[in-house]
Amino acid sequence: MEIPSANTNKEKINPGDHLANERTFLAWIRTSIALMGFGFVVVKFSLFVKQLSLVITDKIVLPGKGFSATIGIILVAIGALMALLSYFRYRRIEKQLLRNTYFPSFALSLLLTVAIVLVSGLLLWYLLPNT
């Protein structure tokens, strides 16, 4: 006698699919942590440059109109948002796998790619000399 499961008239649940979903979630979390760390570094970079110029020239450098704090905060926000969205993605895919109704979605990948391209453009604009 076979015991019915929650997945009654479908194929058996494959543990490998669930483990792959979890690995993907953890990869998104690692990426979000890296983005937040990079954002922190970008914010603190301007402080480092000011301190370095003080040590080298013994002059206090007046803060210029820099956008490193804004860009860094945007990167941290993107990283935090990515962590949240990746959790929702993980839960949605987990439910789909349990129902055997999985359909791939590229929305989170597209959102992250667009956000990174925009922030990269801001960084390039900020770093290139004004000519």
Side-chain angles (χ1 to χ4, degrees):
M1 175 180 234
E2 190 173 307
I3 300 173
S5 65
N7 202 5
T8 54
N9 58 357
K10 311 272 180 170
E11 298 176 13
K12 287 188 173 184
I13 295 174
N14 183 1
D17 293 337
H18 297 278
L19 293 172
N21 185 33
E22 189 171 317
R23 283 191 305 270
T24 303
F25 170 66
L26 293 174
W28 280 108
I29 293 296
R30 282 190 305 271
T31 305
S32 70
I33 291 170
L35 271 175
M36 288 186 280
F38 182 61
F40 180 80
V41 168
V42 169
V43 169
K44 295 301 177 186
F45 181 71
S46 64
L47 177 64
F48 170 73
V49 169
K50 290 174 191 171
Q51 293 294 326
L52 186 63
S53 67
L54 180 64
V55 169
I56 292 173
T57 64
D58 289 331
K59 294 179 184 175
I60 297 175
V61 177
L62 295 175
K65 186 173 183 176
F67 295 102
S68 61
T70 304
I71 293 170
I73 290 169
I74 289 171
L75 284 169
V76 171
I78 289 171
L81 181 65
M82 186 190 334
L84 182 65
L85 292 176
S86 66
Y87 174 75
F88 291 137
R89 180 181 186 271
Y90 167 75
R91 294 298 302 154
R92 183 177 46 86
I93 290 174
E94 189 67 23
K95 289 176 186 176
Q96 288 177 352
L97 288 173
L98 288 173
R99 294 184 200 129
N100 203 19
T101 59
Y102 172 73
F103 295 105
S105 171
F106 302 104
L108 185 59
S109 300
L110 178 64
L111 178 68
L112 176 64
T113 303
V114 168
I116 294 300
V117 167
L118 289 175
V119 171
S120 298
L122 283 173
L123 282 171
L124 285 172
W125 176 73
Y126 176 67
L127 294 173
L128 289 175
N130 295 330
T131 55

